[in-house]
Amino acid sequence: MKPVQAHENAIAIVGMAFRFPGDACDPDSFWNLLAQGRCAISRIPEDRWPVTELQHPDRSEPGRSLSFAAGVLSDIDRFDAAFFGISPREATWLDPQQRLLLETAYEAMEDSGIRPSSLAGSKCGVYVGISGVDYGQQALVDMASMTAHSMTGNTLSLAANRISYCFDLHGPSVSVDTACSSSLVALHQACQALRAGEIPLALAGGVNILMHPYSFIGFSKAAMLSPKGQCRPFDAAADGYVRAEGGGLVLLKPLSQALADGNRIHALILASGVNADGNRKSGLTIPSAAAQTELMQDVLNQSGLTAEEVDFIEAHGTGTPVGDPVEAESIAAVYGKGRVQPLPISSVKANVGHLEPASGVAGLVKAVLCLQRGELPPMPLAYTPNPQIDFAACKLVCAADGLRLPQSQDRPLAAGLNSFGFGGVNAHLLLQAVAPQSPGRQSPSVPTPPLILSAQSDEALRELAGRYADRLKTGAVSCYDLAYSAALYRDRLDHRLTAWGTTPKELVAGLQAFALKEKGSGVFAE
């Protein structure tokens, strides 16, 4: 693969963090879920609302939903409010969507090797795709329970604004709602601001948390949800989508600046675009093949790629009888014509469900991981091609069984990413892989270096020590590299420790003892 080159309009993804169903909270756990062809769709737990009482097999039954199948996050009630300077009283009314965004913003900055405190006062932009007001709906049941924090905790504009406030970021701070395309529309807006030189870097992504039954009931009445509780993209048995929760943020920079700063680069965004269906369709929620085709062609033209140089499409792929054939037709019109080999298409919704306003960022992370690993993972279903899609004529193939992507010394792998809102706002972007980056330094042959860690509480410090011990035990990273990153790329918080050992094994033993509050050696904490 050729080394990274500074394409004029390319945007580098230098950091990313996310929470997806199946406890997929980091690249390794998410890739394992995908590569093993696992489905993380379960059911809304009974402690959120009376699920059993509100479910009914007849869609026409008033106030009932056909299904409460969903991709669900665990531990959404857990939040370290003090870490972000939020009082317990305010945290009570803080929408879990805002909580998740704060966590992933911090982690995305750390993943990039940029200390969060170093961005204070910068013109870093924040662009968040968000639609749901589920948590705030609780106040409608008992308006006497509302406090001074109810509005700031649940107004959608505050989802982006709170990130800017917490980290003292001075660039644009925008919440975007275009339904299911929200996170990719937010990402496009961030890319445009970066390309125009308005801001030096940006956090962009989306979030969705399922905290109230009303949307399930509404989408059930609209015949959008799968009665079987399965999401089957491009499959003959596709009968609707499955809702899901989660979210993520990526940290973006112009490629030229990322190269100058020596940032690690996950992937490149070569081009992006947004358009709307208008009335080029038979109904408000019906997708438009003409609009989708027009957008994909525009983005392809911007990218400098040819259709044959796009190796796969991470499709919107909701598993609906209407949406999938329209999307396949649009992809074929732009990327399928003239190909020798059929173009693989796939959709992460088969694994985790449809994250609605955050679905685009879920597809983005999957596409980045596929580019990095050079393969498309299998989808968790016994696949039968949708007979409404002429795959042979379209020069498309659904990569339901997974496949290796063709490697070339002449060009990096490239992927398209689709996201369409049910009101007609469409987003599309083209990603490109980067060659493995050679490290700027070599791990020297020196004794095991001291490891410096910090956290905002003693409990968090002990948990962090245990995580570092687990990481060191795998042998996937050297002690030197881990210590180097911890010392230079993480903020120094109030509770700190220094751990050392003559060997990695001794270092791990000391960290484990500290994590378990046992007597050990080689750890000094303050």
Side-chain angles (χ1 to χ4, degrees), residues 149-162:
H149 303 298
S150 299
M151 300 309 293
T152 55
N154 294 276
T155 304
L156 294 187
S157 60
L158 267 291
N161 300 163
R162 191 177 291 274

Side-chain angles (χ1 to χ4, degrees), residues 64-114:
R64 300 293 187 269
S65 174
L66 271 173
S67 173
F68 286 107
V72 180
L73 297 183
S74 58
D75 299 328
I76 63 168
D77 57 328
R78 299 185 64 185
F79 177 63
D80 191 352
F83 182 88
F84 297 102
I86 298 171
S87 71
R89 183 174 296 178
E90 184 175 8
T92 299
W93 272 103
L94 191 62
D95 187 338
Q97 296 180 123
Q98 291 193 31
R99 302 175 199 175
L100 189 150
L101 287 169
L102 287 174
E103 292 171 346
T104 53
Y106 190 92
E107 292 172 11
M109 289 184 269
E110 282 211 326
D111 180 64
S112 72
I114 299 172

Side-chain angles (χ1 to χ4, degrees), residues 359-414:
S359 61
V361 76
L364 173 70
V365 174
K366 176 193 169 184
V368 168
L369 296 180
C370 291
L371 290 173
Q372 290 175 343
R373 289 160 171 78
E375 64 179 285
L376 278 174
M379 296 197 299
L381 49 86
Y383 178 71
T384 301
N386 188 329
Q388 301 302 313
I389 303 171
D390 190 340
F391 284 93
C394 290
K395 290 292 182 71
L396 302 178
V397 59
C398 181
D401 295 329
L403 54 85
R404 291 292 302 176
L405 295 169
Q407 301 290 328
S408 170
Q409 295 299 317
D410 297 326
R411 64 173 183 84
L413 290 169

